[in-house]
Amino acid sequence: MKHRYLIAIGLVFLTLAPLVLPTYQVTLLNYIGLYALVVLGLILLTGVGGMTSFGQAAFVGLGAYTTAYLTTTEQLPAWLSWTAGSPWLALLVGITLTAAVALFLGALTLRLSGHYLPLGTIAWGISLYYLFGTMSSMGGHTGISGLPSLSFFGLLLDKGEKIFYLIWVILLLAIWITSNLLNSREGRAIRALKGGQLMAESMGVNTFRSKMVIFLISALFAAISGWLYAHTQRFVNPTPFGLHMGIDYLFMALIGGVGSVWGALVGAGVLTMLKQWLQDWLPLIMGSNGQYETIVFGLLIVFMMQRSPGGLWPLLVKLVPMRWRIQQHILINENVDNLSRRPLPEKGELLLEAHDVTRRFGGLVANNKMNLSLHAGEVLALIGPNGAGKSTMFNQLSAVDTPSDGEVIFMGTSLQGKSSRQVANMGMSRTFQHVKLLPTMTVLENVALGAHMRGSKGVMSAALHREREEEQRLLKEAKYQLERVGLGDHLYAEAGSLALGQQRILEIARALCADPCVLLLDEPAAGLRFKEKQALAQLLTKLKEEGLAILLVEHDMDFVMNLVDRIVVMEFGEKIAEGKPEEIQTNPAVLEAYLGGEE
């Protein structure tokens, strides 16, 4: 609870700062607030979502130039005349325009990956920068002057000491909104973008939508910062909205801590103060004027990335005593209603079938005319030597990959043209051969991601903290599934700290959290000790008795033979045998191909 004292101290400082600090220091704090608002969007976009953007300064320019044009142009077009030179209505227009531009640019660039994405943001960032300087109605490179001061309920915010409070209230509100968003169902989907997109799609997350959400939010934060900047300076020109400033914003995010909301404030503060200090002192030391601070910044960034790649905020947190830190444990209300469950099919009902599934990769045929079926209340094993094509077949069944020929039918519907997200929504859930989880998130949050489809509250509800009841229901379900698989004592541990075997069990709990009727398990027993395998076998047997259909790929023959109802054996991409465990154990073709041959 003592972390509240730190927050109270911070609020008292912000309240008194304009009253006791010199004008110069207040101006610096204003700039820190403006920069931090932009960097906060970059934290979302780059640190959380894993998408590097150099174009945030251009969105700042959109907000600044929109209000500059609307508040200084004497004869506005008829369709904009309703703004009547009001800065507050100009903010509304700026937000709307920025949202439209961001949606358009996001649709163009967010499907890019690797180095193409940051290059794409550089391209449109430069384009908008030159647009600001080229349009005569925007004052060209000379800019626009004479912007009115903001007024709030009759109070004229014409000095830095007065607009200070508006800047920092908006910044703190943005931090609150961002924190709420990240600690929600939508936030888990956003955090899964960095390193877990395939897994997230298989859990029903629309990853492109999540990318668009944070791209839009980051653009709006930047536009609001531009609006505030324009009315603070009462003058705009293209210079502060170029690529160099976009790079500075990224530096601020890196210095503060690109993975932390509060890192935006730390990074903006450190870089702004340090830049002013270096600009004052380096010319005295070097004996002449020049861009020496840029050289020093470059060296400092390289040094810090080596010594503290997580930025300064994690280091600052370590200096705070544990009793003063914010409590990370999520309190779960056991009294909320349980999530509704889908009715399971009747035992023996055909749920999943593959008809002549063939998958080619160029000249390589990984699967050739594969046929199999899976029924409710049945455990089916797919086995075969390494390279037999099991994982490829597994991906065809779960719609992660698409067959070259043939088709997969689930619940009477062909999966041709369907995404893994759509298939997950139909009632199929899966684990992965190579464990896919979010290592820095808690075990509870990782499993709650599996219940993403079972919630409906959107971004606005999350941002305004209006989805708490649904969130409690999702977390309660995640806790239930973790206790069900034997990980109830690890709810708040980081998922990456678990042993490999426990991580595989975590994946099963996450898959169960989706409330499937078909469960696909890729080598679930790998890395488990004997007692853990026994517990897993008991769990799968219980799920089978409940009516769940389970298909598993596994190399542990003792585990398979004592658990499954039927086995399909593959070799060189083809099915060579199918039958009950005792039949497979004596099948000559299987013994030759997989079990070492007949004696």
Side-chain angles (χ1 to χ4, degrees):
M1 297 293 288
K2 290 188 177 182
H3 67 273
R4 294 183 178 178
Y5 297 148
L6 295 177
I7 295 174
I9 292 170
L11 291 176
V12 169
F13 170 77
L14 290 176
T15 302
L16 297 178
L19 305 177
V20 299
L21 293 178
T23 300
Y24 174 72
Q25 301 295 334
V26 174
T27 301
L28 277 183
L29 287 174
N30 284 342
Y31 278 115
I32 290 170
L34 293 172
Y35 295 155
L37 187 55
V38 184
V39 177
L40 183 62
L42 268 179
I43 295 292
L44 265 179
L45 192 63
T46 302
V48 178
M51 296 174 287
T52 303
S53 172
F54 290 91
Q56 292 307 104
F59 288 129
V60 179
L62 271 178
Y65 267 98
T66 299
T67 194
Y69 174 76
L70 291 176
T71 57
T72 61
T73 302
E74 293 184 4
Q75 191 65 39
L76 289 170
W79 61 281
L80 287 173
S81 60
W82 59 273
T83 61
S86 167
W88 295 96
L89 293 178
L91 173 61
L92 179 61
V93 175
I95 287 175
T96 305
L97 176 62
T98 302
V101 172
L103 290 172
F104 174 72
L105 293 176
L108 290 178
T109 56
L110 294 185
R111 296 189 187 277
L112 300 175
S113 58
H115 59 278
Y116 294 108
L117 176 58
L119 287 175
T121 65
I122 290 173
W124 56 252
I126 292 175
S127 299
L128 287 174
Y129 168 72
Y130 280 108
L131 178 66
F132 299 144
T134 301
M135 294 179 66
S136 58
S137 60
M138 298 295 181
H141 285 284
T142 304
I144 303 174
S145 59
L147 275 71
S149 298
L150 293 174
S151 62
F152 189 71
F153 290 104
L155 177 63
L156 190 63
L157 308 180
D158 57 345
K159 295 182 179 180
E161 293 85 351
K162 294 181 179 179
I163 202 170
F164 172 91
Y165 293 109
L166 179 61
I167 291 172
W168 281 87
V169 165
I170 290 176
L171 173 61
L172 294 177
L173 182 62
I175 289 174
W176 178 73
I177 286 172
T178 304
S179 298
N180 288 346
L181 177 61
L182 291 178
N183 293 310
S184 69
R185 167 181 170 270
E186 289 282 358
R188 285 189 291 274
I190 290 168
R191 285 187 280 169
L193 295 175
K194 194 173 182 179
Q197 292 190 45
L198 176 61
M199 174 271 293
E201 284 282 337
S202 296
M203 294 296 109
V205 174
N206 186 335
T207 55
F208 183 73
R209 175 185 173 276
S210 295
K211 288 180 181 181
M212 287 294 291
V213 165
I214 56 175
F215 188 74
L216 180 60
I217 292 173
S218 66
L220 294 179
F221 283 172
I224 294 171
S225 177
W227 174 76
L228 287 167
Y229 170 84
H231 291 286
T232 301
Q233 294 289 98
R234 301 182 64 186
F235 167 78
V236 295
N237 73 347
T239 304
F241 314 125
L243 181 61
H244 71 284
M245 198 63 206
I247 295 173
D248 277 356
Y249 288 134
L250 271 176
F251 277 172
M252 292 176 193
L254 290 170
I255 290 171
V258 77
S260 167
V261 170
W262 290 101
L265 185 55
V266 173
V270 169
L271 192 67
T272 303
M273 300 294 287
L274 192 58
K275 180 180 287 189
Q276 292 297 320
W277 184 81
L278 291 174
Q279 286 175 346
D280 291 340
W281 287 96
L282 284 178
L284 299 177
I285 297 171
M286 305 302 295
S288 62
N289 292 322
Q291 298 289 322
Y292 299 117
E293 72 276 3
T294 304
I295 300 171
V296 174
F297 274 134
L299 295 175
L300 285 175
I301 289 291
V302 172
F303 177 79
M304 201 187 73
M305 290 301 98
Q306 289 180 334
R307 297 294 182 179
S308 181
L312 295 178
W313 179 253
L315 297 180
L316 295 175
V317 170
K318 289 180 181 178
L319 297 177
V320 178
M322 287 295 296
R323 66 181 181 276
W324 285 75
R325 299 182 191 178
I326 296 175
Q327 178 61 257
Q328 296 297 322
H329 289 188
I330 304 170
L331 298 178
I332 301 174
N333 182 2
E334 299 288 350
N335 295 322
V336 297
D337 294 336
N338 295 323
L339 293 174
S340 59
R341 302 192 180 279
R342 75 174 79 237
L344 289 175
E346 299 222 356
K347 188 171 183 178
E349 182 179 338
L350 179 62
L351 300 182
L352 180 66
E353 51 187 330
H355 292 302
D356 293 331
V357 169
T358 299
R359 184 66 173 103
R360 303 184 189 90
F361 297 96
L364 174 66
V365 180
N367 294 144
N368 186 29
K369 295 186 180 299
M370 276 293 301
N371 292 278
L372 59 80
S373 60
L374 179 64
H375 301 80
E378 176 185 42
V379 180
L380 173 69
L382 185 63
I383 69 171
N386 289 331
K390 303 184 299 298
S391 293
T392 303
M393 187 63 192
F394 197 90
N395 286 336
Q396 314 304 306
L397 294 173
S398 57
V400 169
D401 198 4
T402 304
S404 304
D405 293 307
E407 66 176 347
V408 177
I409 297 175
F410 176 47
M411 304 283 286
T413 302
S414 173
L415 300 188
Q416 187 70 29
K418 293 191 179 297
S419 65
S420 57
R421 181 179 73 253
Q422 292 172 310
V423 173
N425 197 40
M426 293 168 65
M428 184 189 300
S429 198
R430 62 164 293 177
T431 64
F432 296 85
Q433 180 180 7
H434 303 291
V435 173
K436 295 186 184 299
L437 45 78
L438 305 172
T440 59
M441 282 172 55
T442 65
V443 170
L444 181 68
E445 290 176 301
N446 267 272
V447 173
L449 186 63
H452 182 82
M453 296 175 296
R454 302 172 71 182
S456 60
K457 299 293 185 181
V459 174
M460 287 300 295
S461 294
L464 299 177
H465 221 46
R466 304 295 296 174
E467 48 28 295
R468 290 295 92 188
E469 182 178 350
E470 179 183 89
E471 178 70 0
Q472 284 293 316
R473 295 170 67 193
L474 296 174
L475 294 174
K476 181 181 177 182
E477 174 71 11
K479 180 184 177 184
Y480 165 72
Q481 297 298 348
L482 282 165
E483 291 172 343
R484 194 179 190 188
V485 301
L487 290 178
D489 294 333
H490 302 276
L491 298 180
Y492 304 111
E494 286 192 353
S497 69
L498 299 183
L500 176 61
Q502 291 175 314
Q503 291 180 1
R504 291 193 178 279
I505 297 297
L506 184 155
E507 280 206 320
I508 294 175
R510 185 179 64 201
L512 290 174
C513 220
D515 190 29
C517 59
V518 169
L519 186 61
L520 307 183
L521 305 178
D522 201 346
E523 299 190 20
L528 298 187
R529 294 185 289 268
F530 178 71
K531 287 188 178 294
E532 292 172 330
K533 289 180 183 178
Q534 284 184 317
L536 175 60
Q538 291 174 359
L539 173 64
L540 296 183
T541 301
K542 181 181 178 182
L543 293 174
K544 179 186 77 168
E545 291 171 352
E546 292 175 2
L548 209 64
I550 303 170
L551 183 145
L552 59 89
V553 172
E554 187 52 71
H555 287 289
D556 188 327
M557 287 300 98
D558 289 334
F559 179 78
V560 168
M561 295 298 175
N562 295 319
L563 172 67
V564 305
D565 299 295
R566 289 187 301 120
I567 298 175
V568 171
V569 187
M570 293 181 65
E571 185 183 25
F572 299 122
E574 298 182 348
K575 180 167 70 174
I576 61 171
E578 179 177 358
K580 295 180 179 179
E582 55 271 20
E583 297 171 348
I584 295 299
Q585 286 176 310
T586 58
N587 187 297
V590 176
L591 293 172
E592 181 66 29
Y594 190 77
L595 301 177
E598 296 180 276
E599 297 183 0

